[in-house]
PDB file of all heavy atoms in Angstrom:
ATOM      1  N   PRO A   1      15.317  13.148  -5.437  1.00 95.00           N
ATOM      2  CA  PRO A   1      14.352  14.007  -6.137  1.00 95.00           C
ATOM      3  C   PRO A   1      13.220  13.224  -6.798  1.00 95.00           C
ATOM      4  O   PRO A   1      12.077  13.706  -6.835  1.00 95.00           O
ATOM      5  CB  PRO A   1      15.221  14.719  -7.175  1.00 95.00           C
ATOM      6  CG  PRO A   1      16.577  14.770  -6.546  1.00 95.00           C
ATOM      7  CD  PRO A   1      16.708  13.478  -5.793  1.00 95.00           C
ATOM      8  N   ASP A   2      13.508  12.003  -7.276  1.00 94.00           N
ATOM      9  CA  ASP A   2      12.440  11.225  -7.915  1.00 94.00           C
ATOM     10  C   ASP A   2      11.497  10.595  -6.899  1.00 94.00           C
ATOM     11  O   ASP A   2      10.558   9.889  -7.270  1.00 94.00           O
ATOM     12  CB  ASP A   2      13.023  10.156  -8.852  1.00 94.00           C
ATOM     13  CG  ASP A   2      13.848   9.103  -8.134  1.00 94.00           C
ATOM     14  OD1 ASP A   2      13.978   9.189  -6.892  1.00 94.00           O
ATOM     15  OD2 ASP A   2      14.361   8.206  -8.804  1.00 94.00           O
ATOM     16  N   GLY A   3      11.736  10.858  -5.617  1.00 96.00           N
ATOM     17  CA  GLY A   3      10.826  10.407  -4.580  1.00 96.00           C
ATOM     18  C   GLY A   3       9.661  11.331  -4.360  1.00 96.00           C
ATOM     19  O   GLY A   3       8.785  11.038  -3.530  1.00 96.00           O
ATOM     20  N   ALA A   4       9.621  12.453  -5.072  1.00 97.00           N
ATOM     21  CA  ALA A   4       8.510  13.387  -4.961  1.00 97.00           C
ATOM     22  C   ALA A   4       7.242  12.716  -5.496  1.00 97.00           C
ATOM     23  O   ALA A   4       7.190  12.308  -6.656  1.00 97.00           O
ATOM     24  CB  ALA A   4       8.803  14.652  -5.752  1.00 97.00           C
ATOM     25  N   ALA A   5       6.235  12.580  -4.637  1.00 97.00           N
ATOM     26  CA  ALA A   5       5.035  11.833  -5.015  1.00 97.00           C
ATOM     27  C   ALA A   5       3.994  11.981  -3.911  1.00 97.00           C
ATOM     28  O   ALA A   5       4.255  12.585  -2.863  1.00 97.00           O
ATOM     29  CB  ALA A   5       5.366  10.353  -5.213  1.00 97.00           C
ATOM     30  N   ARG A   6       2.844  11.411  -4.167  1.00 97.00           N
ATOM     31  CA  ARG A   6       1.832  11.292  -3.116  1.00 97.00           C
ATOM     32  C   ARG A   6       1.987   9.895  -2.521  1.00 97.00           C
ATOM     33  O   ARG A   6       1.999   8.901  -3.257  1.00 97.00           O
ATOM     34  CB  ARG A   6       0.432  11.492  -3.677  1.00 97.00           C
ATOM     35  CG  ARG A   6      -0.631  11.680  -2.606  1.00 97.00           C
ATOM     36  CD  ARG A   6      -1.936  12.198  -3.178  1.00 97.00           C
ATOM     37  NE  ARG A   6      -2.877  12.538  -2.137  1.00 97.00           N
ATOM     38  CZ  ARG A   6      -2.917  13.711  -1.528  1.00 97.00           C
ATOM     39  NH1 ARG A   6      -2.080  14.671  -1.878  1.00 97.00           N
ATOM     40  NH2 ARG A   6      -3.810  13.947  -0.567  1.00 97.00           N
ATOM     41  N   TYR A   7       2.115   9.830  -1.220  1.00 98.00           N
ATOM     42  CA  TYR A   7       2.390   8.580  -0.513  1.00 98.00           C
ATOM     43  C   TYR A   7       1.119   8.073   0.156  1.00 98.00           C
ATOM     44  O   TYR A   7       0.425   8.826   0.829  1.00 98.00           O
ATOM     45  CB  TYR A   7       3.490   8.792   0.526  1.00 98.00           C
ATOM     46  CG  TYR A   7       4.863   8.897  -0.077  1.00 98.00           C
ATOM     47  CD1 TYR A   7       5.230  10.019  -0.828  1.00 98.00           C
ATOM     48  CD2 TYR A   7       5.797   7.882   0.077  1.00 98.00           C
ATOM     49  CE1 TYR A   7       6.486  10.111  -1.405  1.00 98.00           C
ATOM     50  CE2 TYR A   7       7.061   7.966  -0.486  1.00 98.00           C
ATOM     51  CZ  TYR A   7       7.394   9.086  -1.226  1.00 98.00           C
ATOM     52  OH  TYR A   7       8.651   9.167  -1.792  1.00 98.00           O
ATOM     53  N   TYR A   8       0.876   6.782  -0.021  1.00 98.00           N
ATOM     54  CA  TYR A   8      -0.336   6.156   0.494  1.00 98.00           C
ATOM     55  C   TYR A   8      -0.005   4.976   1.397  1.00 98.00           C
ATOM     56  O   TYR A   8       0.918   4.213   1.098  1.00 98.00           O
ATOM     57  CB  TYR A   8      -1.201   5.617  -0.653  1.00 98.00           C
ATOM     58  CG  TYR A   8      -1.700   6.648  -1.625  1.00 98.00           C
ATOM     59  CD1 TYR A   8      -0.928   7.033  -2.722  1.00 98.00           C
ATOM     60  CD2 TYR A   8      -2.949   7.244  -1.461  1.00 98.00           C
ATOM     61  CE1 TYR A   8      -1.389   7.983  -3.621  1.00 98.00           C
ATOM     62  CE2 TYR A   8      -3.422   8.182  -2.356  1.00 98.00           C
ATOM     63  CZ  TYR A   8      -2.635   8.550  -3.437  1.00 98.00           C
ATOM     64  OH  TYR A   8      -3.100   9.478  -4.339  1.00 98.00           O
ATOM     65  N   CYS A   9      -0.774   4.800   2.460  1.00 98.00           N
ATOM     66  CA  CYS A   9      -0.723   3.544   3.180  1.00 98.00           C
ATOM     67  C   CYS A   9      -1.971   2.743   2.807  1.00 98.00           C
ATOM     68  O   CYS A   9      -2.999   3.303   2.405  1.00 98.00           O
ATOM     69  CB  CYS A   9      -0.612   3.733   4.681  1.00 98.00           C
ATOM     70  SG  CYS A   9      -2.055   4.416   5.503  1.00 98.00           S
ATOM     71  N   ALA A  10      -1.853   1.443   2.921  1.00 98.00           N
ATOM     72  CA  ALA A  10      -2.924   0.545   2.527  1.00 98.00           C
ATOM     73  C   ALA A  10      -2.965  -0.648   3.468  1.00 98.00           C
ATOM     74  O   ALA A  10      -1.943  -1.015   4.059  1.00 98.00           O
ATOM     75  CB  ALA A  10      -2.713   0.071   1.086  1.00 98.00           C
ATOM     76  N   GLY A  11      -4.141  -1.247   3.590  1.00 97.00           N
ATOM     77  CA  GLY A  11      -4.294  -2.382   4.486  1.00 97.00           C
ATOM     78  C   GLY A  11      -5.104  -3.485   3.839  1.00 97.00           C
ATOM     79  O   GLY A  11      -5.976  -3.235   2.999  1.00 97.00           O
ATOM     80  N   THR A  12      -4.805  -4.718   4.239  1.00 96.00           N
ATOM     81  CA  THR A  12      -5.571  -5.860   3.782  1.00 96.00           C
ATOM     82  C   THR A  12      -5.675  -6.868   4.919  1.00 96.00           C
ATOM     83  O   THR A  12      -4.705  -7.066   5.666  1.00 96.00           O
ATOM     84  CB  THR A  12      -4.926  -6.509   2.542  1.00 96.00           C
ATOM     85  OG1 THR A  12      -5.765  -7.551   2.063  1.00 96.00           O
ATOM     86  CG2 THR A  12      -3.542  -7.073   2.853  1.00 96.00           C
ATOM     87  N   GLY A  13      -6.830  -7.500   5.044  1.00 93.00           N
ATOM     88  CA  GLY A  13      -7.034  -8.477   6.095  1.00 93.00           C
ATOM     89  C   GLY A  13      -5.996  -9.588   6.023  1.00 93.00           C
ATOM     90  O   GLY A  13      -5.756 -10.149   4.955  1.00 93.00           O
ATOM     91  N   ALA A  14      -5.375  -9.866   7.157  1.00 89.00           N
ATOM     92  CA  ALA A  14      -4.277 -10.826   7.178  1.00 89.00           C
ATOM     93  C   ALA A  14      -4.822 -12.242   7.356  1.00 89.00           C
ATOM     94  O   ALA A  14      -5.144 -12.668   8.461  1.00 89.00           O
ATOM     95  CB  ALA A  14      -3.300 -10.491   8.298  1.00 89.00           C
ATOM     96  N   SER A  15      -4.881 -12.967   6.229  1.00 84.00           N
ATOM     97  CA  SER A  15      -5.367 -14.343   6.281  1.00 84.00           C
ATOM     98  C   SER A  15      -4.324 -15.273   6.883  1.00 84.00           C
ATOM     99  O   SER A  15      -4.635 -16.375   7.325  1.00 84.00           O
ATOM    100  CB  SER A  15      -5.752 -14.813   4.879  1.00 84.00           C
ATOM    101  OG  SER A  15      -4.655 -14.671   3.997  1.00 84.00           O
ATOM    102  N   LYS A  16      -3.082 -14.842   6.866  1.00 84.00           N
ATOM    103  CA  LYS A  16      -2.007 -15.602   7.495  1.00 84.00           C
ATOM    104  C   LYS A  16      -0.980 -14.627   8.054  1.00 84.00           C
ATOM    105  O   LYS A  16      -0.847 -13.515   7.565  1.00 84.00           O
ATOM    106  CB  LYS A  16      -1.370 -16.572   6.513  1.00 84.00           C
ATOM    107  CG  LYS A  16      -0.938 -15.969   5.203  1.00 84.00           C
ATOM    108  CD  LYS A  16      -0.431 -17.042   4.260  1.00 84.00           C
ATOM    109  CE  LYS A  16       0.004 -16.442   2.935  1.00 84.00           C
ATOM    110  NZ  LYS A  16       0.508 -17.471   1.997  1.00 84.00           N
ATOM    111  N   LYS A  17      -0.220 -15.060   9.064  1.00 86.00           N
ATOM    112  CA  LYS A  17       0.613 -14.135   9.819  1.00 86.00           C
ATOM    113  C   LYS A  17       1.783 -13.601   9.010  1.00 86.00           C
ATOM    114  O   LYS A  17       2.303 -12.539   9.320  1.00 86.00           O
ATOM    115  CB  LYS A  17       1.126 -14.804  11.092  1.00 86.00           C
ATOM    116  CG  LYS A  17       2.096 -15.956  10.871  1.00 86.00           C
ATOM    117  CD  LYS A  17       2.612 -16.501  12.186  1.00 86.00           C
ATOM    118  CE  LYS A  17       3.636 -17.598  11.971  1.00 86.00           C
ATOM    119  NZ  LYS A  17       4.147 -18.124  13.269  1.00 86.00           N
ATOM    120  N   ASN A  18       2.214 -14.320   7.966  1.00 90.00           N
ATOM    121  CA  ASN A  18       3.365 -13.852   7.185  1.00 90.00           C
ATOM    122  C   ASN A  18       2.941 -13.217   5.861  1.00 90.00           C
ATOM    123  O   ASN A  18       3.742 -13.069   4.963  1.00 90.00           O
ATOM    124  CB  ASN A  18       4.329 -15.002   6.925  1.00 90.00           C
ATOM    125  CG  ASN A  18       3.689 -16.131   6.132  1.00 90.00           C
ATOM    126  OD1 ASN A  18       2.472 -16.177   6.006  1.00 90.00           O
ATOM    127  ND2 ASN A  18       4.499 -17.037   5.608  1.00 90.00           N
ATOM    128  N   LEU A  19       1.689 -12.778   5.772  1.00 92.00           N
ATOM    129  CA  LEU A  19       1.204 -12.139   4.559  1.00 92.00           C
ATOM    130  C   LEU A  19       1.869 -10.786   4.386  1.00 92.00           C
ATOM    131  O   LEU A  19       1.754  -9.911   5.260  1.00 92.00           O
ATOM    132  CB  LEU A  19      -0.313 -11.973   4.635  1.00 92.00           C
ATOM    133  CG  LEU A  19      -0.992 -11.347   3.417  1.00 92.00           C
ATOM    134  CD1 LEU A  19      -0.922 -12.290   2.227  1.00 92.00           C
ATOM    135  CD2 LEU A  19      -2.431 -10.972   3.727  1.00 92.00           C
ATOM    136  N   ILE A  20       2.556 -10.582   3.273  1.00 94.00           N
ATOM    137  CA  ILE A  20       3.213  -9.301   2.988  1.00 94.00           C
ATOM    138  C   ILE A  20       3.079  -9.010   1.486  1.00 94.00           C
ATOM    139  O   ILE A  20       4.051  -9.061   0.735  1.00 94.00           O
ATOM    140  CB  ILE A  20       4.702  -9.275   3.412  1.00 94.00           C
ATOM    141  CG1 ILE A  20       5.421 -10.573   3.025  1.00 94.00           C
ATOM    142  CG2 ILE A  20       4.828  -9.036   4.903  1.00 94.00           C
ATOM    143  CD1 ILE A  20       6.937 -10.527   3.274  1.00 94.00           C
ATOM    144  N   PRO A  21       1.868  -8.669   1.054  1.00 95.00           N
ATOM    145  CA  PRO A  21       1.653  -8.456  -0.376  1.00 95.00           C
ATOM    146  C   PRO A  21       2.292  -7.167  -0.869  1.00 95.00           C
ATOM    147  O   PRO A  21       2.332  -6.168  -0.146  1.00 95.00           O
ATOM    148  CB  PRO A  21       0.127  -8.392  -0.492  1.00 95.00           C
ATOM    149  CG  PRO A  21      -0.324  -7.927   0.851  1.00 95.00           C
ATOM    150  CD  PRO A  21       0.652  -8.474   1.844  1.00 95.00           C
ATOM    151  N   LYS A  22       2.786  -7.185  -2.104  1.00 96.00           N
ATOM    152  CA  LYS A  22       3.354  -5.983  -2.700  1.00 96.00           C
ATOM    153  C   LYS A  22       2.567  -5.501  -3.909  1.00 96.00           C
ATOM    154  O   LYS A  22       2.903  -4.478  -4.501  1.00 96.00           O
ATOM    155  CB  LYS A  22       4.818  -6.192  -3.061  1.00 96.00           C
ATOM    156  CG  LYS A  22       5.081  -7.218  -4.135  1.00 96.00           C
ATOM    157  CD  LYS A  22       6.584  -7.253  -4.450  1.00 96.00           C
ATOM    158  CE  LYS A  22       6.878  -8.148  -5.631  1.00 96.00           C
ATOM    159  NZ  LYS A  22       8.334  -8.142  -5.966  1.00 96.00           N
ATOM    160  N   ARG A  23       1.514  -6.207  -4.273  1.00 96.00           N
ATOM    161  CA  ARG A  23       0.662  -5.768  -5.376  1.00 96.00           C
ATOM    162  C   ARG A  23      -0.460  -4.887  -4.841  1.00 96.00           C
ATOM    163  O   ARG A  23      -1.123  -5.258  -3.874  1.00 96.00           O
ATOM    164  CB  ARG A  23       0.050  -6.963  -6.103  1.00 96.00           C
ATOM    165  CG  ARG A  23       1.077  -7.956  -6.604  1.00 96.00           C
ATOM    166  CD  ARG A  23       1.954  -7.368  -7.668  1.00 96.00           C
ATOM    167  NE  ARG A  23       2.901  -8.373  -8.206  1.00 96.00           N
ATOM    168  CZ  ARG A  23       3.886  -8.107  -9.039  1.00 96.00           C
ATOM    169  NH1 ARG A  23       4.084  -6.861  -9.450  1.00 96.00           N
ATOM    170  NH2 ARG A  23       4.666  -9.068  -9.471  1.00 96.00           N
ATOM    171  N   ASP A  24      -0.705  -3.750  -5.488  1.00 96.00           N
ATOM    172  CA  ASP A  24      -1.694  -2.837  -4.935  1.00 96.00           C
ATOM    173  C   ASP A  24      -3.092  -3.447  -4.942  1.00 96.00           C
ATOM    174  O   ASP A  24      -3.913  -3.134  -4.070  1.00 96.00           O
ATOM    175  CB  ASP A  24      -1.683  -1.490  -5.648  1.00 96.00           C
ATOM    176  CG  ASP A  24      -1.886  -1.595  -7.149  1.00 96.00           C
ATOM    177  OD1 ASP A  24      -2.054  -2.719  -7.662  1.00 96.00           O
ATOM    178  OD2 ASP A  24      -1.860  -0.534  -7.819  1.00 96.00           O
ATOM    179  N   TYR A  25      -3.362  -4.344  -5.880  1.00 96.00           N
ATOM    180  CA  TYR A  25      -4.708  -4.916  -5.938  1.00 96.00           C
ATOM    181  C   TYR A  25      -4.980  -5.880  -4.781  1.00 96.00           C
ATOM    182  O   TYR A  25      -6.110  -6.294  -4.565  1.00 96.00           O
ATOM    183  CB  TYR A  25      -4.949  -5.625  -7.284  1.00 96.00           C
ATOM    184  CG  TYR A  25      -3.939  -6.686  -7.668  1.00 96.00           C
ATOM    185  CD1 TYR A  25      -3.909  -7.929  -7.024  1.00 96.00           C
ATOM    186  CD2 TYR A  25      -3.026  -6.450  -8.681  1.00 96.00           C
ATOM    187  CE1 TYR A  25      -2.990  -8.897  -7.381  1.00 96.00           C
ATOM    188  CE2 TYR A  25      -2.091  -7.418  -9.045  1.00 96.00           C
ATOM    189  CZ  TYR A  25      -2.086  -8.643  -8.395  1.00 96.00           C
ATOM    190  OH  TYR A  25      -1.168  -9.597  -8.749  1.00 96.00           O
ATOM    191  N   ALA A  26      -3.942  -6.227  -4.032  1.00 95.00           N
ATOM    192  CA  ALA A  26      -4.121  -7.095  -2.866  1.00 95.00           C
ATOM    193  C   ALA A  26      -4.677  -6.343  -1.662  1.00 95.00           C
ATOM    194  O   ALA A  26      -5.095  -6.957  -0.681  1.00 95.00           O
ATOM    195  CB  ALA A  26      -2.806  -7.752  -2.494  1.00 95.00           C
ATOM    196  N   TYR A  27      -4.698  -5.013  -1.735  1.00 97.00           N
ATOM    197  CA  TYR A  27      -5.120  -4.203  -0.595  1.00 97.00           C
ATOM    198  C   TYR A  27      -6.523  -3.664  -0.820  1.00 97.00           C
ATOM    199  O   TYR A  27      -6.825  -3.138  -1.897  1.00 97.00           O
ATOM    200  CB  TYR A  27      -4.156  -3.042  -0.388  1.00 97.00           C
ATOM    201  CG  TYR A  27      -2.793  -3.480   0.073  1.00 97.00           C
ATOM    202  CD1 TYR A  27      -1.808  -3.855  -0.838  1.00 97.00           C
ATOM    203  CD2 TYR A  27      -2.487  -3.535   1.433  1.00 97.00           C
ATOM    204  CE1 TYR A  27      -0.563  -4.277  -0.412  1.00 97.00           C
ATOM    205  CE2 TYR A  27      -1.240  -3.953   1.872  1.00 97.00           C
ATOM    206  CZ  TYR A  27      -0.284  -4.316   0.949  1.00 97.00           C
ATOM    207  OH  TYR A  27       0.948  -4.731   1.377  1.00 97.00           O
ATOM    208  N   GLU A  28      -7.372  -3.771   0.193  1.00 95.00           N
ATOM    209  CA  GLU A  28      -8.745  -3.301   0.026  1.00 95.00           C
ATOM    210  C   GLU A  28      -9.017  -1.969   0.711  1.00 95.00           C
ATOM    211  O   GLU A  28     -10.041  -1.344   0.446  1.00 95.00           O
ATOM    212  CB  GLU A  28      -9.749  -4.341   0.560  1.00 95.00           C
ATOM    213  CG  GLU A  28      -9.724  -4.548   2.063  1.00 95.00           C
ATOM    214  CD  GLU A  28      -8.936  -5.767   2.471  1.00 95.00           C
ATOM    215  OE1 GLU A  28      -8.164  -6.278   1.646  1.00 95.00           O
ATOM    216  OE2 GLU A  28      -9.078  -6.190   3.640  1.00 95.00           O
ATOM    217  N   SER A  29      -8.131  -1.508   1.570  1.00 96.00           N
ATOM    218  CA  SER A  29      -8.339  -0.232   2.256  1.00 96.00           C
ATOM    219  C   SER A  29      -7.166   0.693   1.964  1.00 96.00           C
ATOM    220  O   SER A  29      -6.010   0.258   2.021  1.00 96.00           O
ATOM    221  CB  SER A  29      -8.460  -0.439   3.771  1.00 96.00           C
ATOM    222  OG  SER A  29      -9.554  -1.266   4.078  1.00 96.00           O
ATOM    223  N   TRP A  30      -7.478   1.960   1.693  1.00 98.00           N
ATOM    224  CA  TRP A  30      -6.452   2.938   1.340  1.00 98.00           C
ATOM    225  C   TRP A  30      -6.696   4.248   2.075  1.00 98.00           C
ATOM    226  O   TRP A  30      -7.850   4.646   2.291  1.00 98.00           O
ATOM    227  CB  TRP A  30      -6.470   3.209  -0.165  1.00 98.00           C
ATOM    228  CG  TRP A  30      -6.004   2.057  -0.973  1.00 98.00           C
ATOM    229  CD1 TRP A  30      -6.739   0.970  -1.360  1.00 98.00           C
ATOM    230  CD2 TRP A  30      -4.689   1.849  -1.490  1.00 98.00           C
ATOM    231  NE1 TRP A  30      -5.957   0.099  -2.078  1.00 98.00           N
ATOM    232  CE2 TRP A  30      -4.690   0.620  -2.181  1.00 98.00           C
ATOM    233  CE3 TRP A  30      -3.501   2.573  -1.444  1.00 98.00           C
ATOM    234  CZ2 TRP A  30      -3.562   0.099  -2.807  1.00 98.00           C
ATOM    235  CZ3 TRP A  30      -2.378   2.071  -2.072  1.00 98.00           C
ATOM    236  CH2 TRP A  30      -2.402   0.845  -2.743  1.00 98.00           C
ATOM    237  N   GLY A  31      -5.601   4.915   2.441  1.00 97.00           N
ATOM    238  CA  GLY A  31      -5.699   6.256   2.966  1.00 97.00           C
ATOM    239  C   GLY A  31      -5.846   7.268   1.843  1.00 97.00           C
ATOM    240  O   GLY A  31      -5.805   6.921   0.666  1.00 97.00           O
ATOM    241  N   GLN A  32      -5.987   8.529   2.224  1.00 96.00           N
ATOM    242  CA  GLN A  32      -6.193   9.587   1.233  1.00 96.00           C
ATOM    243  C   GLN A  32      -4.885  10.049   0.585  1.00 96.00           C
ATOM    244  O   GLN A  32      -4.881  10.755  -0.411  1.00 96.00           O
ATOM    245  CB  GLN A  32      -6.891  10.799   1.886  1.00 96.00           C
ATOM    246  CG  GLN A  32      -5.974  11.738   2.656  1.00 96.00           C
ATOM    247  CD  GLN A  32      -5.492  11.175   3.976  1.00 96.00           C
ATOM    248  OE1 GLN A  32      -5.925  10.112   4.417  1.00 96.00           O
ATOM    249  NE2 GLN A  32      -4.573  11.891   4.618  1.00 96.00           N
ATOM    250  N   GLY A  33      -3.781   9.648   1.172  1.00 96.00           N
ATOM    251  CA  GLY A  33      -2.482  10.024   0.619  1.00 96.00           C
ATOM    252  C   GLY A  33      -1.939  11.284   1.249  1.00 96.00           C
ATOM    253  O   GLY A  33      -2.681  12.116   1.777  1.00 96.00           O
ATOM    254  N   ASN A  34      -0.645  11.418   1.193  1.00 95.00           N
ATOM    255  CA  ASN A  34       0.065  12.577   1.751  1.00 95.00           C
ATOM    256  C   ASN A  34       1.126  13.004   0.745  1.00 95.00           C
ATOM    257  O   ASN A  34       1.947  12.187   0.326  1.00 95.00           O
ATOM    258  CB  ASN A  34       0.699  12.173   3.081  1.00 95.00           C
ATOM    259  CG  ASN A  34       0.497  13.204   4.163  1.00 95.00           C
ATOM    260  OD1 ASN A  34       1.421  13.629   4.814  1.00 95.00           O
ATOM    261  ND2 ASN A  34      -0.727  13.639   4.344  1.00 95.00           N
ATOM    262  N   GLN A  35       1.105  14.289   0.394  1.00 96.00           N
ATOM    263  CA  GLN A  35       2.040  14.782  -0.611  1.00 96.00           C
ATOM    264  C   GLN A  35       3.420  14.995  -0.007  1.00 96.00           C
ATOM    265  O   GLN A  35       3.564  15.558   1.086  1.00 96.00           O
ATOM    266  CB  GLN A  35       1.519  16.100  -1.184  1.00 96.00           C
ATOM    267  CG  GLN A  35       2.085  16.459  -2.526  1.00 96.00           C
ATOM    268  CD  GLN A  35       1.605  15.542  -3.632  1.00 96.00           C
ATOM    269  OE1 GLN A  35       0.492  15.005  -3.599  1.00 96.00           O
ATOM    270  NE2 GLN A  35       2.460  15.343  -4.620  1.00 96.00           N
ATOM    271  N   VAL A  36       4.433  14.543  -0.733  1.00 97.00           N
ATOM    272  CA  VAL A  36       5.818  14.742  -0.320  1.00 97.00           C
ATOM    273  C   VAL A  36       6.590  15.337  -1.496  1.00 97.00           C
ATOM    274  O   VAL A  36       7.019  14.602  -2.398  1.00 97.00           O
ATOM    275  CB  VAL A  36       6.475  13.422   0.127  1.00 97.00           C
ATOM    276  CG1 VAL A  36       7.940  13.665   0.503  1.00 97.00           C
ATOM    277  CG2 VAL A  36       5.726  12.822   1.306  1.00 97.00           C
TER     278      VAL A  36
END
């Protein structure tokens, strides 16, 4: 039940192949979100 939220995907240019950022400020592109 606490998963109810607006879900977003985000993208950031991969400067290296193992880049896997978890901070939102690391991402420069965002979708509009989808309500769940």
Side-chain angles (χ1 to χ4, degrees):
D2 64 0
R6 192 166 188 86
Y7 285 70
Y8 298 87
C9 69
T12 185
S15 56
K16 51 185 180 180
K17 67 177 183 180
N18 61 346
L19 182 69
I20 43 173
K22 65 176 187 178
R23 305 295 183 188
D24 56 1
Y25 54 73
Y27 292 86
E28 67 261 16
S29 299
W30 291 83
Q32 81 287 353
N34 225 231
Q35 201 69 31
V36 178

